Amino acid sequence: MERLVLLSDQELLAAYRAGSTRAGELLFRKYSLLVERYIRAHVRDSEDVYNLRQEVLLKVLNGIRTTYRETGRLLPWVMTITVNVVNDYYRQRVKESEIILDEFPSSLMLSEDFSAEWDYLMRHERAYKILEQVCTDLSLEDRALIYAFFYENQSFRQMALSRGVSKSSCFKYLQRLLFRLRKMMMAAGVDESFLEER
């Protein structure tokens, strides 16, 4: 057992493929902290972090036996799986928040209460489409900053570190960017009264 701890990645891979569950546990433990750090930097919910870490490491262990081809570097492969799992997590959250008409019961769609709510939802949908269009006029770097702040819930410190600037510079830049975005939205017809009852 103790001998396994001293083995290299390639030796652990070979032992795991040969059926050693202990080698699998050691691989799991070895990469668990790196995987968790990456996920924690992108996902705020601690339960989701734990679940995603488990998902990544299970994919890694399954992949070692099936799809992984030895290239001498296991870590980049593990981190690629981690990045893909985090991206899938965010894609799934976007899908869950979309409104799918087929899911509404027809009796609800005929009610008077629903028609008022439906108008409100349609105004939201229109505002979202306009925002989407306006964002395409921003630079890729500006879009990435907005995505990091609103969708990944990154702090100013995290955003500043990833861009190599100070926290206060990042804050000021985002403030100016949001002001510019607001002006662009107003020019497209979306202001404070856009979502109010008409």
Side-chain angles (χ1 to χ4, degrees):
M1 289 268 193
E2 288 304 313
R3 191 174 56 82
L4 282 174
V5 177
L6 304 172
L7 296 178
S8 68
D9 281 354
Q10 283 67 36
E11 291 167 321
L12 285 171
L13 286 170
Y16 179 66
R17 284 177 174 150
S20 168
T21 54
R22 176 76 176 141
E25 287 171 22
L26 289 171
L27 281 167
F28 188 98
R29 197 177 313 149
K30 183 174 184 177
Y31 289 102
S32 181
L33 185 59
L34 291 170
V35 167
E36 185 173 334
R37 277 186 187 158
Y38 179 86
I39 295 170
R40 198 171 292 283
H42 293 84
V43 177
R44 292 286 173 117
D45 187 289
S46 57
E47 190 175 322
D48 286 342
V49 169
Y50 174 79
N51 291 337
L52 291 172
R53 186 196 67 161
Q54 296 298 98
E55 185 180 339
V56 167
L57 294 169
L58 286 173
K59 284 185 179 206
V60 166
L61 292 177
N62 287 336
I64 287 170
R65 286 201 168 138
T66 56
T67 58
Y68 179 69
R69 300 292 168 250
E70 298 218 23
T71 58
R73 297 190 65 193
L74 183 62
L75 178 60
W77 180 71
V78 170
M79 294 315 291
T80 299
I81 291 174
T82 307
V83 169
N84 289 336
V85 165
V86 169
N87 289 341
D88 289 344
Y89 167 80
Y90 278 106
R91 276 189 216 106
Q92 186 61 37
R93 288 185 69 177
V94 168
K95 282 182 186 173
E96 287 170 2
S97 67
E98 287 176 356
I99 299 167
I100 301 171
L101 292 179
D102 295 342
E103 292 181 1
F104 286 114
S106 55
S107 59
L108 177 63
M109 293 182 83
L110 295 174
S111 74
E112 288 179 25
D113 289 343
F114 182 77
S115 68
E117 281 188 36
W118 181 249
D119 288 342
Y120 185 72
L121 290 172
M122 293 292 29
R123 286 197 297 276
H124 267 282
E125 181 70 17
R126 184 162 167 259
Y128 178 76
K129 294 284 185 204
I130 292 170
L131 177 62
E132 219 174 31
Q133 182 59 44
V134 164
C135 281
T136 59
D137 295 338
L138 297 174
S139 70
L140 186 60
E141 188 178 320
D142 288 348
R143 278 184 274 166
L145 189 64
I146 287 172
Y147 185 84
F149 185 69
F150 288 104
Y151 293 95
E152 294 179 344
N153 292 323
Q154 286 188 25
S155 67
F156 289 113
R157 184 173 180 274
Q158 289 171 314
M159 291 186 295
L161 282 172
S162 67
R163 284 158 184 78
V165 297
S166 72
K167 184 175 148 184
S168 92
S169 294
C170 185
F171 174 77
K172 288 174 187 172
Y173 186 80
L174 185 64
Q175 212 172 19
R176 286 192 304 269
L177 176 60
L178 292 177
F179 180 74
R180 197 172 87 212
L181 188 60
R182 182 178 179 201
K183 282 177 70 174
M184 292 165 77
M185 288 293 285
M186 288 172 75
V190 180
D191 59 12
E192 292 89 348
S193 64
F194 185 81
L195 296 175
E196 291 174 4
E197 290 291 334
R198 293 183 182 169

